[in-house]
Structures are given as C-alpha cells and as structure tokens.
Amino acid sequence: MTEAGQPVLTGGCQCGAIRFAVSTAPAKISICHCRMCQKATGAPFASYADIEKADFAWTKGTPSAFQSSSIAMRDFCAACGTPLSFRRIDGPRIEIMTGTFDRPDHVVPTRQYGTESRLGWVVGIANLPSQTTQQNYGPEKMATIVSHQHPDHD
C-alpha cells in the first residue's frame, strides 16, 4: 500500500465476494481484441491494467481460476461470474480487468493488442446514437429497479 497505508486503486466483482487493492499505478493499460479475450469476457474486447503481483492483493475472498491456454490463467468470481484478471502462469505480473476497478475512469487504455481479431464495427462505437440509462428506461422504471451490485467501495 502507499506510505499512508492506503491503496492507490481498489476494485472487485459485481457481487462483492472478491475485492482487491493495488498499491501503485499500473505499468500499462491496454485493450485486447484477441479471440480468447473476446470469449473470456463475453465482449468485443477486454481492457486490462498491468500490475506487478508484489503491488497487488486480493483483500476479500479468493477468485476461482480457469487455465485458458498453456501459458495463462484467468481469475473470476465463482459467485457472480465477473471476469477479474489475466495472468501468465508463474509470471510476475497480473492484468486486472479495468471495468472491475471502483474508479475505472482512472485506468485509461493507451494501447491495443490482438487487433487481428478486432471487430470492424468497434472503431465506430463513439459515433453511434447514445442515451443514458435513465433516458433508456425512463424515471418511472428506474425508480422500481433495485440493484444487487456491490457498491464501488469497501
């Protein structure tokens, strides 16, 4: 943790069973379009913050893991299914899914990998018509929705 004992970044899964803390800024933050990351996340791409294992700790719970290749493990929450990380077997680093950070706006990607599998429509996402969640559902429906998601803090 930092000199004051506070982590630089924290995060966790959707249900709160798994939490983590990072004591220093990530070395790099990237997007991966490879087919394996698409399948692992159920999304068109994955976004990761690369961290030295010495600067990272699971602070609540223990994630389950799946060996997705001969060189890599992927951690996830067995309770809610949230994908949490990618790590090379016996490697010194762990790559944490940026969407699992409590402040994902603080982990901004600066590079892309696996672009041979990038879906053609991804480059135009910013130009698609968009709405807020409230605009999509309306205030009446929003008032009836009860979230079971863990808050973005410990």
Side-chain angles (χ1 to χ4, degrees):
M1 301 304 115
T2 62
E3 288 181 30
Q6 295 297 313
V8 171
L9 296 165
T10 57
C13 68
Q14 190 171 19
C15 73
I18 308 292
R19 298 287 296 160
F20 63 81
V22 177
S23 62
T24 189
K28 69 179 178 185
I29 302 161
S30 61
I31 290 172
C32 185
H33 297 274
C34 84
R35 188 65 183 129
M36 193 174 288
C37 284
Q38 289 172 350
K39 295 280 281 191
T41 61
F45 55 84
S47 181
Y48 298 104
D50 190 337
I51 301 155
E52 290 283 342
K53 285 182 182 175
D55 298 325
F56 175 84
W58 298 111
T59 58
K60 180 181 178 190
T62 302
S64 292
F66 172 68
Q67 187 172 344
S68 60
S69 72
S70 60
I71 64 166
M73 300 293 288
R74 293 178 186 267
D75 297 307
F76 63 96
C77 176
C80 67
T82 301
L84 296 164
S85 75
F86 167 89
R87 58 189 164 86
R88 292 185 189 268
I89 297 169
D90 299 325
R93 310 184 72 71
I94 187 166
E95 296 185 46
I96 300 299
M97 303 288 303
T98 60
T100 64
F101 283 92
D102 294 336
R103 293 294 310 266
D105 57 321
H106 288 187
V107 284
V108 180
T110 58
R111 61 187 76 193
Q112 298 181 69
Y113 298 105
T115 56
E116 72 282 352
S117 298
R118 182 172 49 210
L119 301 174
W121 56 264
V122 169
V123 296
I125 289 174
N127 298 322
L128 294 174
S130 61
Q131 295 180 317
T132 65
T133 306
Q134 175 121 346
Q135 289 169 328
N136 185 38
Y137 285 110
E140 296 82 22
K141 181 66 174 176
M142 288 294 294
T144 67
I145 298 172
V146 177
S147 174
H148 299 289
Q149 183 166 297
H150 186 272
D152 285 336
H153 57 79
D154 287 322

